[in-house]
Amino acid sequence: MKLLVINPNISDDVTALIESEALRSAAPKTELVVRTAGHGVEYIETRFEALIAAGAVAEIIAEYTGRVDSSAVDCPPIDCVVVAAFGDPGMPALKELADVPVIGITEAALCAAALQGHRFSIIAISDRIRPWYLDCVERFGLGGRLASIRSINESLNAIGSVQQDFRETLLALSRQAVTEDGADVVILAGAPLAGLARELQGQIPVPVVDGISAGIRMAEAVVGLQSGPHRAGAFAPPPMKARRGLSENLDAALASAQTAPAASTN
């Protein structure tokens, strides 16, 4: 299978972290196409920044779902999309655009945590990001199982070096989530922390979930289920109506989704 993995941030060094962990996590026969947002911000901390990122992610998805020439070498067909930023910018709306599953790493990490314990804690890279993360947990209906959101409360030197700069802080926050907040599982949130769970293995006394790893493995599982696309219900494609100002790819992707044959209800 082929997965399209999208970094909704514009940081190429974070994309490199995403790709490294995705490659370590993917099954041997899984192919990865890893892309970075074409516009947006260095890293997403707020709801408004997530709104900007959602548009950038939609454009990349549209390149792979709305093209006329489906055999284009530089744009191969894909089986699933992984939105690789904690907070899942654009989700669940992006599920309405693509004819393949669209998985967010928050969604995947929360599901993985819920399977391994009753209460989980999220370790985040900044205090500012916490309200948005809380919104995401509540949207997925798991607010009652959230033990805490703990975060770094210092200025970041560079988004690509957060793991190195704050390794001991992140480890201490994780341990506090267990001993003080009662977490059964710890989620290291955000693409800048991709791969850190592997390095801290054995140093935190509960299961530790990496969002990128969870996203890749969950995507593989969902593709393997062959459940079929959304043709009706809450995630059916948007209805046809007049539109203007969209990019050629996005317009074509919408048209493709809207004209796909509906499943028989007989």
Side-chain angles (χ1 to χ4, degrees):
M1 72 180 69
K2 189 184 298 291
L3 306 182
L4 173 61
V5 184
I6 304 173
N7 175 14
N9 308 289
I10 61 169
S11 305
D12 290 328
D13 47 359
V14 173
T15 302
L17 290 171
I18 292 170
E19 184 167 19
S20 294
E21 180 58 25
L23 287 168
R24 288 193 291 263
S25 302
K29 293 185 178 181
T30 297
E31 297 181 57
L32 302 176
V33 179
V34 184
R35 296 286 304 275
T36 306
H39 66 270
V41 298
E42 182 183 10
Y43 60 97
I44 306 166
E45 288 185 280
T46 71
R47 301 173 187 87
F48 184 72
E49 291 171 345
L51 181 65
I52 296 171
V57 172
E59 290 290 351
I60 295 175
I61 293 175
E63 288 181 36
Y64 290 80
T65 59
R67 60 192 185 280
V68 176
D69 181 8
S70 61
S71 64
V73 174
D74 61 341
C75 208
I78 51 137
D79 298 299
C80 186
V81 177
V82 178
V83 180
F86 212 84
D88 295 352
M91 298 284 283
L94 292 169
K95 295 179 185 288
E96 300 176 13
L97 176 63
D99 223 12
V100 298
V102 182
I103 306 295
I105 65 169
T106 310
E107 181 175 42
L110 293 176
C111 288
L115 288 171
Q116 297 181 77
H118 181 67
R119 288 167 59 78
F120 57 86
S121 287
I122 295 172
I123 308 303
I125 63 172
S126 78
D127 288 340
R128 183 66 177 90
I129 214 167
R130 293 170 64 182
W132 175 40
Y133 282 3
L134 180 58
D135 282 355
C136 293
V137 174
E138 292 177 342
R139 187 180 75 230
F140 287 118
L142 292 171
R145 297 178 67 173
L146 177 66
S148 62
I149 301 177
R150 288 183 173 265
S151 56
I152 297 170
N153 62 1
E154 301 176 49
S155 298
L156 305 183
N157 299 318
I159 193 60
S161 64
V162 173
Q163 294 186 36
Q164 292 75 29
D165 297 341
F166 294 98
R167 180 189 178 96
E168 292 306 314
T169 299
L170 293 163
L171 179 58
L173 291 171
S174 299
R175 289 170 171 169
Q176 289 167 4
V178 176
T179 59
E180 298 178 22
D181 306 329
D184 303 312
V185 183
V186 168
I187 300 172
L188 297 179
L193 302 185
L196 183 60
R198 294 177 187 270
E199 296 183 17
L200 297 182
Q201 188 171 11
Q203 300 181 57
I204 300 169
V206 298
V208 182
V209 174
D210 181 297
I212 300 300
S213 180
I216 296 298
R217 298 312 297 264
M218 291 287 186
E220 291 174 332
V222 170
V223 172
L225 289 173
Q226 299 182 338
S227 304
H230 293 284
R231 292 285 187 259
F235 298 110
M240 292 186 185
K241 61 189 67 170
R243 55 182 181 251
R244 67 182 176 198
L246 303 183
S247 68
E248 183 178 358
N249 281 330
L250 192 54
D251 189 71
L254 275 171
S256 177
Q258 291 165 338
T259 57
S264 173
T265 57
N266 295 329

